[in-house]
Amino acid sequence: MAALFPINRSLTGPGVVETLERISAVVPLQVTEVPSGTELLDWTVPDEWSLQGAHIADADGNHLIDVADHTLHVVSYSEPVAATLTRAELEVHLHSLPDRPDLIPYRTSYYSRTWGFCLTQHQREALGDGPFDVLIDSTLAPGTFRYGEAVIPGTDTEDPTEVIVSTHTCHPSMANDNCTGLVAVMAIGGHLLRHPPRRTHRLLFLPGTLGAIAWLAQNPDARERVHAGLVIGGLGDTDPLTFKASRRGDTVVDRVAHAVLPRRDASFRPLSFSPYGYDERQFCSPGFDLAVGRLSRGQHGEYPEYHTSGDDLAFVDADRVAEGISAALEILRGIDDNETLDNLSPYGEPQLGRRGLYSSTGGAIDSRSVEMAYLWVLSGSDGETDLVTIAERADLPIDAVVEAARRLSDAGLTAPRARGGH
Amino acid sequence: MAALFPINRSLTGPGVVETLERISAVVPLQVTEVPSGTELLDWTVPDEWSLQGAHIADADGNHLIDVADHTLHVVSYSEPVAATLTRAELEVHLHSLPDRPDLIPYRTSYYSRTWGFCLTQHQREALGDGPFDVLIDSTLAPGTFRYGEAVIPGTDTEDPTEVIVSTHTCHPSMANDNCTGLVAVMAIGGHLLRHPPRRTHRLLFLPGTLGAIAWLAQNPDARERVHAGLVIGGLGDTDPLTFKASRRGDTVVDRVAHAVLPRRDASFRPLSFSPYGYDERQFCSPGFDLAVGRLSRGQHGEYPEYHTSGDDLAFVDADRVAEGISAALEILRGIDDNETLDNLSPYGEPQLGRRGLYSSTGGAIDSRSVEMAYLWVLSGSDGETDLVTIAERADLPIDAVVEAARRLSDAGLTAPRARGGH
Amino acid sequence: MAALFPINRSLTGPGVVETLERISAVVPLQVTEVPSGTELLDWTVPDEWSLQGAHIADADGNHLIDVADHTLHVVSYSEPVAATLTRAELEVHLHSLPDRPDLIPYRTSYYSRTWGFCLTQHQREALGDGPFDVLIDSTLAPGTFRYGEAVIPGTDTEDPTEVIVSTHTCHPSMANDNCTGLVAVMAIGGHLLRHPPRRTHRLLFLPGTLGAIAWLAQNPDARERVHAGLVIGGLGDTDPLTFKASRRGDTVVDRVAHAVLPRRDASFRPLSFSPYGYDERQFCSPGFDLAVGRLSRGQHGEYPEYHTSGDDLAFVDADRVAEGISAALEILRGIDDNETLDNLSPYGEPQLGRRGLYSSTGGAIDSRSVEMAYLWVLSGSDGETDLVTIAERADLPIDAVVEAARRLSDAGLTAPRARGGH
């Protein structure tokens, strides 16, 4: 995270290139390049932006504000400017936060040509009366929009469906939003490479909004192909983990997350879908309506450091990021292990004892034992109810139910009806 | 209300005629006349009743009780009587309220021939031992049953469906029940005449029970024609506004009321349907099962002034009636504005910025702004979810969602699938 | 209960024979006999077990533990043994409860050949160092498995469906589990013989698990034939009555129990189905999935006397058992009386007054009177909603709603669409 933090990412440009290269060293990426001007669904790829330097100087040439001090000082996608301005002329191009006077805000203007500087309220008040020499040495020209993806093939080569894990790659020096997302999806990729999943998993590193639009535009079969997915971001702040449901609200990722997360943190509270947030907005647009939820912590704008220079490396905590990664992996495993079974001995309970699945001395039972998992799986295996739903009803970990199902299947008592269940 | 209060209304008779005439001066009414003996669904129109005078006098001719003092003193539909009675003979014809000794109760006997006097418990105790000269100078003879309706044509002349707004017109001098209902529906009518609705609205001024029975009997296509409706009454007491759901419970009037009323009063609590109450009983009978709910305040019998002389002009409050009228109009507008839309750009979010629908500088957003309404409408416009449901999910006012939908439609991003949604 | 308590019941053997004989003196039973070795669904009938005596003696011949003192002292289905053992050799065959040192646990080993003694922790600690003379004088040989059933014919001879009431008959000297169940089903049988139900009721006295398996194996049409049912047991402890729902959770027995029990005890809380418990496990296995719930009090293992010698006659209370019997009878009556009606006068309310069903003087009504029941039945009689659901919505006793329905039917206002509603 320390290596990724300083890079001046934006929608396009060298910061994105460097970021994708660093990720690829851990999880090999295919990078898709899309030329400026390309139409993607309702959007058009804008010119590529690069920034060589930017400052506001006083009449004596002293740099009062300089992007070399903080990547947030320049509005992302600022057009070039070199001019001497009065204070009044400069004022309309300044962004600060009166209620948080020590923090630099984060601002962008990807699709409307303008320029601006972001600075703390204290800096703004100390600028003086001018005149000011203002320089933004940027390039906005036809170029390339890039996003990366890593495919981790599933062991079940006959299953054409995929699970996607997505994070955004476009925010400059902010740690929680979005370096924690980058690091988390890299770690998830490393884990899946070492422990291949049943279903193919596709990790998506996408510049926000346009990246997801581009991927969806170039994968028009997403509705059929994407079994489920997670958008990940903002895992390092002090809030508890939150899961925002998919638009449909009862898909497999929703049910798995609702079974997994309350067992990890009793204070977990589910969030229903809303059309604002990260790229779940695109994946859950009504035309695609994918089974994609979002794992994060604090919500947009609800913590004061959000989208400011206060979201620095000191703001995030490695243990909390690690807990987020672990929770994401448990959710992905739950999705991958989920099945709908048929009970092959559905008339009365089968005799588990003679199959070695049940203790032979009756009269005492530990109600939370593996034997309970056998009974719940047999009772729920009606060809309609999946293992995740059985786990929720039984108030048992998904893992325990999956293991019981595996042993019952080995004993010939159950057979898979269908994988997953959207 | 002061002009309507003193009139001695009943199921039929001159009080109803005078009431309909006064209403018609504000909202022109068509009055339907039905002769006595006419069969209406399971009912038969009774004889018409008129009362010229009534009293209980002592042996000296002093009028101890006289209907000239209060219209409630005579049981409505009392048959004529002129007799000298002992106290014991009179006693079975007296109605008073021992637990509320200062109030005269309201009693009727429309369908069973009898007579009686209503008086306060104090008056009853002071009557003396008799004998009493009792006179009820009434007429019960074949005549006419009347109800009024006002049709306010909708601007959409191709839509054959209607919204009904109904109140009862049969209660004599009681202010909350039912002068507030009469005044409220008159005010609603005046507003709709000045601001024509999209769908035709029909205001019904109906003597309780038999009026609704008569209107339904004479409008057998009500089930197809009535899109939704509100029964209104009892808007002036001190209780918060209450909405009683239709029998089905999830019709458009229910969903609109549940979206509108909690935003006006955080203490609002919904009531589910019950088969007792005002004329929603008839509109929601299982053969018709209309999307008709009821807007009122305190429930029948739950306030001590209910159906007594205590329900006088001092009991009701003009501001509370006005708030009820305003709430009713907001509900009616919500019903009229409701639509189900198709998102014409459902694959990913459309780019709102280039259509001038979104602020161009990213990074900061006011989560309750009109931009959120755009996102919610786009996300919800799946051809199944109507604007009212979207407003509820978004926790936004219906008006804001309707306005966002209008602008999206103007921008070519949405198109109406269907109006309303039962 | 005092007569049934001492009998040494097991899965098979003379204790079951004696128990069925004693029950048959009150409710005549048909006893089905199944030979050892018979295959029943996934199970096989084991050998029959009988016990002539059993003890642990010290070297001087003193009986330290003797089954003559308590039937729980021997593990049920212990194979014969006669040996002199060291303390260490004996130890693996002993069962006691360190956390409840005064209680003898209840243990069985029906399907795995072994032997053992159950004793209090205090007795175990006082046994001494041995050697011990151990004798279990038991017989395990091909024989007969027995269960009993009593059929109480319904008055409606055209209805082929049945209601079952089941309890287990296999537990030795424990009062709550299961003498209260035996006594309760006997009492229910006695009541039904005196007050014949509409639908045939079948009382099942079944050794746990295998009894239900046997009955289901021999009644493969159970899914079609069993309209609903109750498993009864554990009615005498100090917990409030509990109702465990059927696997489907919304069958007629569930809805009736949820309407009946909260009116009897405001602290009642429903339990959802779980695949552990009494014989509802078998009746609700997914292949049968019957509408069978369970009426009991404390849950398995949640009270310290459960499955120990502490569950003696002093532990249970006759009044609580009687309340359980009364509740069961009310549930069974609710199931039997349930119907789905068509309102034959569904357009507006029918005029109840001229049919003598409504008080003739209007203006005052007791909202909980029988008149409300008429209105609720008329409103709910839409050919889909049954009387139990109407009672729940109306917050009225099922009896009141059934009586109102009967009178409305006599008045020609309603007609039965269907009996019950699964």
Side-chain angles (χ1 to χ4, degrees):
Chain A
M1 205 182 310
L4 292 167
F5 181 77
I7 302 171
N8 191 3
R9 280 169 293 276
S10 182
L11 190 64
T12 61
V16 175
V17 174
E18 182 181 353
T19 298
L20 294 177
E21 281 170 359
R22 284 186 177 272
I23 294 168
S24 210
V26 177
V27 187
L29 296 181
Q30 307 163 221
V31 174
T32 298
E33 303 196 334
V34 188
S36 295
T38 305
E39 297 199 353
L40 298 167
L41 300 174
D42 192 61
W43 301 65
T44 306
V45 175
D47 283 348
E48 186 168 359
W49 182 69
S50 65
L51 181 72
Q52 289 75 45
H55 65 252
I56 301 171
D58 63 17
D60 300 329
N62 298 312
H63 286 203
L64 304 173
I65 301 295
D66 195 313
V67 76
D69 297 329
H70 203 294
T71 62
L72 294 185
H73 271 321
V74 173
V75 171
S76 198
Y77 259 70
S78 280
E79 59 189 349
V81 60
T84 303
L85 301 180
T86 66
R87 172 76 199 231
E89 289 167 333
L90 177 62
E91 192 65 18
V92 297
H93 293 278
L94 299 181
H95 302 273
S96 64
L97 299 166
D99 61 331
R100 284 162 286 168
D102 291 316
L103 301 180
I104 309 167
Y106 165 54
R107 294 287 182 275
T108 68
S109 186
Y110 299 144
Y111 303 103
S112 172
R113 286 280 166 108
T114 186
W115 62 268
F117 283 88
C118 301
L119 67 175
T120 74
Q121 182 68 13
H122 290 318
Q123 287 173 324
R124 186 174 193 160
E125 289 165 3
L127 277 182
D129 298 330
F132 302 97
D133 284 320
V134 173
L135 177 76
I136 297 183
D137 181 9
S138 66
T139 312
L140 264 168
T144 302
F145 173 79
R146 294 171 184 84
Y147 64 86
E149 52 192 319
V151 175
I152 295 155
T155 56
D156 181 350
T157 54
E158 291 180 16
D159 187 339
T161 68
E162 293 181 356
V163 172
I164 63 174
V165 184
S166 170
T167 195
H168 55 289
T169 60
C170 55
H171 286 39
S173 305
M174 288 178 290
N176 194 43
D177 183 7
N178 65 329
C179 292
T180 61
L182 297 173
V183 166
V185 179
M186 290 165 72
I188 290 166
H191 180 92
L192 295 176
L193 286 169
R194 293 188 299 278
H195 305 280
R198 191 162 76 168
R199 214 181 249 105
T200 293
H201 281 53
R202 184 177 297 266
L203 312 183
L204 300 173
F205 294 89
L206 306 171
T209 303
L210 191 63
I213 294 285
W215 188 82
L216 288 166
Q218 296 173 338
N219 291 271
D221 64 340
R223 187 151 189 165
E224 293 72 44
R225 182 150 55 88
V226 175
H227 175 68
L230 267 184
V231 169
I232 291 181
L235 293 178
D237 61 73
T238 56
D239 276 14
L241 283 174
T242 54
F243 176 78
K244 175 180 161 181
S246 75
R247 182 178 176 280
R248 280 179 278 155
D250 61 351
T251 70
V252 65
V253 67
D254 304 311
R255 289 180 293 113
V256 171
H258 294 157
V260 162
L261 293 171
R263 301 186 75 84
R264 298 182 74 101
D265 179 356
S267 69
F268 169 78
R269 291 288 171 276
L271 299 176
S272 55
F273 180 75
S274 79
Y276 187 62
Y278 293 146
D279 282 333
E280 69 276 8
R281 293 163 66 161
Q282 310 308 329
F283 298 123
C284 296
S285 57
F288 291 106
D289 214 10
L290 303 183
V292 172
R294 188 190 75 201
L295 186 70
S296 51
R297 290 187 182 271
Q299 298 306 296
H300 308 268
E302 292 188 357
Y303 53 95
E305 296 83 359
Y306 175 73
H307 276 195
T308 74
S309 57
D311 181 4
D312 58 16
L313 288 170
F315 177 62
V316 300
D317 180 273
D319 287 346
R320 288 195 295 267
V321 177
E323 163 63 11
I325 293 166
S326 172
L329 286 168
E330 187 177 352
I331 293 169
L332 294 171
R333 189 168 62 244
I335 294 169
D336 216 34
D337 287 341
N338 195 32
E339 295 189 309
T340 302
L341 302 176
D342 277 312
N343 181 338
L344 301 179
S345 183
Y347 298 100
E349 285 175 17
Q351 197 184 0
L352 297 177
R354 66 175 162 86
R355 295 177 173 89
L357 297 173
Y358 216 76
S359 82
S360 59
T361 303
I365 189 168
D366 167 5
S367 70
R368 283 283 162 268
S369 72
V370 65
E371 296 177 358
M372 284 304 291
Y374 292 135
L375 296 180
W376 277 105
V377 172
L378 288 167
S379 176
S381 293
D382 52 11
E384 295 176 8
T385 310
D386 62 15
L387 295 179
V388 174
T389 303
I390 292 171
E392 268 199 289
R393 287 188 191 153
D395 194 17
L396 289 170
I398 293 177
D399 280 359
V401 169
V402 167
E403 176 61 18
R406 193 191 59 73
R407 293 190 201 170
L408 289 168
S409 187
D410 288 350
L413 289 171
T414 58
R417 164 78 64 99
R419 289 266 296 280
H422 271 270
Chain B
M1 204 180 313
L4 292 167
F5 181 77
I7 302 172
N8 192 3
R9 279 170 292 275
S10 181
L11 190 64
T12 60
V16 175
V17 174
E18 182 182 352
T19 298
L20 294 177
E21 281 170 0
R22 284 185 176 273
I23 293 168
S24 210
V26 177
V27 187
L29 296 181
Q30 307 162 222
V31 174
T32 299
E33 304 196 333
V34 188
S36 296
T38 304
E39 297 201 351
L40 298 168
L41 301 174
D42 192 60
W43 301 66
T44 306
V45 176
D47 284 348
E48 186 168 357
W49 182 69
S50 65
L51 181 73
Q52 289 74 47
H55 64 254
I56 301 173
D58 63 17
D60 301 327
N62 298 312
H63 286 203
L64 304 173
I65 300 295
D66 194 313
V67 77
D69 296 329
H70 203 295
T71 62
L72 294 184
H73 271 320
V74 173
V75 170
S76 199
Y77 259 69
S78 280
E79 59 188 347
V81 60
T84 301
L85 301 179
T86 66
R87 173 77 199 230
E89 287 166 334
L90 177 61
E91 192 64 20
V92 297
H93 293 279
L94 298 181
H95 303 272
S96 63
L97 299 167
D99 61 332
R100 284 163 287 170
D102 292 315
L103 302 181
I104 309 166
Y106 165 54
R107 293 289 181 272
T108 67
S109 186
Y110 299 144
Y111 303 103
S112 174
R113 287 280 166 106
T114 185
W115 62 268
F117 283 87
C118 301
L119 68 174
T120 73
Q121 183 67 15
H122 290 318
Q123 287 173 324
R124 186 174 192 159
E125 289 165 4
L127 277 182
D129 297 330
F132 301 99
D133 284 320
V134 173
L135 176 77
I136 296 183
D137 180 11
S138 66
T139 312
L140 264 169
T144 302
F145 173 78
R146 294 171 184 85
Y147 63 87
E149 51 192 319
V151 175
I152 294 154
T155 56
D156 181 351
T157 53
E158 290 180 16
D159 187 339
T161 68
E162 293 181 356
V163 172
I164 62 173
V165 183
S166 170
T167 195
H168 55 289
T169 60
C170 54
H171 286 40
S173 307
M174 288 178 290
N176 193 44
D177 185 6
N178 64 327
C179 291
T180 62
L182 298 173
V183 166
V185 180
M186 288 164 72
I188 289 165
H191 179 92
L192 294 176
L193 286 169
R194 292 188 299 277
H195 305 279
R198 192 161 75 169
R199 213 181 250 105
T200 293
H201 281 53
R202 185 178 296 267
L203 312 184
L204 300 174
F205 295 89
L206 307 170
T209 303
L210 191 63
I213 294 286
W215 188 83
L216 289 166
Q218 294 174 338
N219 291 271
D221 64 341
R223 186 150 190 167
E224 293 73 43
R225 183 150 55 88
V226 175
H227 175 67
L230 268 184
V231 169
I232 291 181
L235 292 177
D237 61 72
T238 57
D239 276 16
L241 283 174
T242 54
F243 176 77
K244 174 181 162 180
S246 75
R247 182 178 176 280
R248 282 179 278 154
D250 61 351
T251 70
V252 65
V253 67
D254 304 311
R255 290 180 293 114
V256 170
H258 295 157
V260 162
L261 293 171
R263 301 186 75 83
R264 299 181 74 100
D265 180 356
S267 69
F268 169 78
R269 290 288 172 277
L271 298 176
S272 54
F273 180 74
S274 79
Y276 187 62
Y278 293 147
D279 282 332
E280 68 276 7
R281 293 163 66 159
Q282 310 307 328
F283 298 123
C284 295
S285 57
F288 292 106
D289 214 9
L290 303 183
V292 172
R294 187 190 75 201
L295 186 70
S296 51
R297 290 187 182 271
Q299 298 305 296
H300 309 268
E302 292 187 357
Y303 53 96
E305 295 85 359
Y306 175 73
H307 276 194
T308 74
S309 56
D311 181 4
D312 58 17
L313 288 171
F315 177 62
V316 299
D317 178 273
D319 286 345
R320 289 195 295 269
V321 177
E323 163 63 12
I325 293 167
S326 172
L329 286 169
E330 188 178 351
I331 293 169
L332 294 172
R333 190 169 60 244
I335 294 169
D336 216 34
D337 287 341
N338 195 32
E339 295 189 307
T340 302
L341 302 175
D342 277 311
N343 181 338
L344 301 179
S345 183
Y347 298 99
E349 284 175 18
Q351 197 184 0
L352 298 178
R354 66 174 163 86
R355 296 177 172 88
L357 297 173
Y358 216 77
S359 82
S360 59
T361 304
I365 190 168
D366 168 5
S367 71
R368 281 285 162 266
S369 72
V370 64
E371 296 177 359
M372 285 303 292
Y374 292 134
L375 296 179
W376 277 105
V377 171
L378 288 167
S379 176
S381 292
D382 53 10
E384 294 175 10
T385 309
D386 62 15
L387 294 179
V388 173
T389 303
I390 292 171
E392 269 200 288
R393 287 187 192 155
D395 195 18
L396 289 170
I398 293 177
D399 280 358
V401 169
V402 166
E403 175 61 19
R406 192 191 58 74
R407 293 190 201 170
L408 289 168
S409 187
D410 288 349
L413 289 170
T414 58
R417 164 77 64 98
R419 290 267 295 282
H422 270 270
Chain C
M1 204 181 313
L4 291 167
F5 180 78
I7 303 171
N8 191 4
R9 278 169 295 274
S10 182
L11 190 63
T12 61
V16 175
V17 174
E18 182 181 353
T19 299
L20 294 177
E21 281 171 359
R22 284 185 176 272
I23 293 169
S24 210
V26 176
V27 187
L29 296 181
Q30 307 163 220
V31 174
T32 299
E33 303 196 333
V34 188
S36 295
T38 304
E39 297 200 352
L40 298 167
L41 300 174
D42 191 62
W43 300 65
T44 306
V45 176
D47 283 348
E48 187 168 357
W49 183 68
S50 65
L51 181 73
Q52 289 74 46
H55 64 253
I56 302 172
D58 63 16
D60 300 329
N62 298 312
H63 287 203
L64 305 173
I65 300 296
D66 194 313
V67 77
D69 297 329
H70 204 295
T71 62
L72 295 184
H73 272 319
V74 173
V75 170
S76 198
Y77 258 70
S78 280
E79 59 190 347
V81 59
T84 302
L85 301 180
T86 66
R87 173 75 198 232
E89 289 167 333
L90 177 62
E91 192 65 19
V92 298
H93 293 278
L94 300 181
H95 303 272
S96 63
L97 299 167
D99 62 330
R100 283 163 286 171
D102 291 316
L103 302 180
I104 309 167
Y106 164 55
R107 293 289 180 271
T108 67
S109 187
Y110 299 144
Y111 303 103
S112 172
R113 287 280 165 106
T114 183
W115 62 269
F117 283 87
C118 301
L119 67 175
T120 74
Q121 182 68 12
H122 291 317
Q123 287 173 324
R124 187 175 192 158
E125 290 164 4
L127 277 181
D129 297 330
F132 301 98
D133 283 321
V134 173
L135 176 78
I136 296 183
D137 180 10
S138 66
T139 312
L140 263 168
T144 303
F145 172 79
R146 294 171 184 85
Y147 64 86
E149 51 193 318
V151 176
I152 294 154
T155 55
D156 180 351
T157 53
E158 290 179 16
D159 188 338
T161 68
E162 292 181 356
V163 171
I164 63 173
V165 183
S166 169
T167 195
H168 55 289
T169 59
C170 54
H171 286 39
S173 306
M174 289 178 290
N176 194 43
D177 184 7
N178 66 329
C179 292
T180 61
L182 298 173
V183 166
V185 179
M186 289 164 73
I188 290 165
H191 179 92
L192 294 176
L193 286 169
R194 290 188 300 277
H195 305 280
R198 192 161 74 168
R199 214 180 249 106
T200 292
H201 280 54
R202 185 178 296 266
L203 312 183
L204 300 174
F205 295 89
L206 307 170
T209 303
L210 192 63
I213 294 285
W215 188 82
L216 288 166
Q218 295 174 337
N219 292 271
D221 64 341
R223 186 151 190 166
E224 293 72 45
R225 182 150 55 88
V226 175
H227 175 68
L230 269 183
V231 169
I232 290 181
L235 292 178
D237 61 73
T238 58
D239 277 15
L241 283 174
T242 54
F243 176 78
K244 174 180 163 181
S246 75
R247 182 178 177 280
R248 282 180 277 156
D250 61 352
T251 69
V252 65
V253 67
D254 305 311
R255 290 180 292 114
V256 171
H258 294 158
V260 162
L261 293 171
R263 300 187 74 86
R264 299 181 74 101
D265 180 355
S267 69
F268 169 77
R269 290 288 171 276
L271 298 176
S272 54
F273 180 74
S274 79
Y276 187 61
Y278 293 147
D279 283 332
E280 68 276 8
R281 294 164 66 161
Q282 310 308 327
F283 297 123
C284 296
S285 57
F288 291 106
D289 214 10
L290 303 183
V292 172
R294 187 190 76 201
L295 186 70
S296 51
R297 291 188 181 271
Q299 298 306 296
H300 309 268
E302 292 188 358
Y303 53 95
E305 295 84 358
Y306 176 73
H307 275 195
T308 74
S309 57
D311 181 3
D312 59 15
L313 287 171
F315 177 62
V316 300
D317 179 272
D319 286 345
R320 287 196 296 268
V321 177
E323 163 63 12
I325 293 166
S326 172
L329 286 169
E330 189 178 351
I331 293 169
L332 294 171
R333 189 168 63 243
I335 294 169
D336 215 34
D337 286 342
N338 196 32
E339 295 188 308
T340 302
L341 302 176
D342 277 312
N343 181 338
L344 301 179
S345 182
Y347 298 99
E349 284 174 18
Q351 196 183 1
L352 298 177
R354 66 174 162 88
R355 295 176 173 90
L357 297 172
Y358 216 76
S359 82
S360 59
T361 304
I365 191 168
D366 168 3
S367 71
R368 281 285 162 266
S369 71
V370 65
E371 296 177 359
M372 285 304 292
Y374 292 134
L375 295 180
W376 276 105
V377 172
L378 287 167
S379 176
S381 292
D382 53 11
E384 293 175 8
T385 310
D386 62 15
L387 294 180
V388 173
T389 303
I390 292 171
E392 267 200 289
R393 288 188 192 155
D395 194 18
L396 290 170
I398 294 177
D399 281 358
V401 169
V402 166
E403 175 62 19
R406 191 191 60 72
R407 294 190 201 170
L408 289 169
S409 187
D410 289 349
L413 289 171
T414 59
R417 165 78 64 98
R419 289 268 295 280
H422 270 268

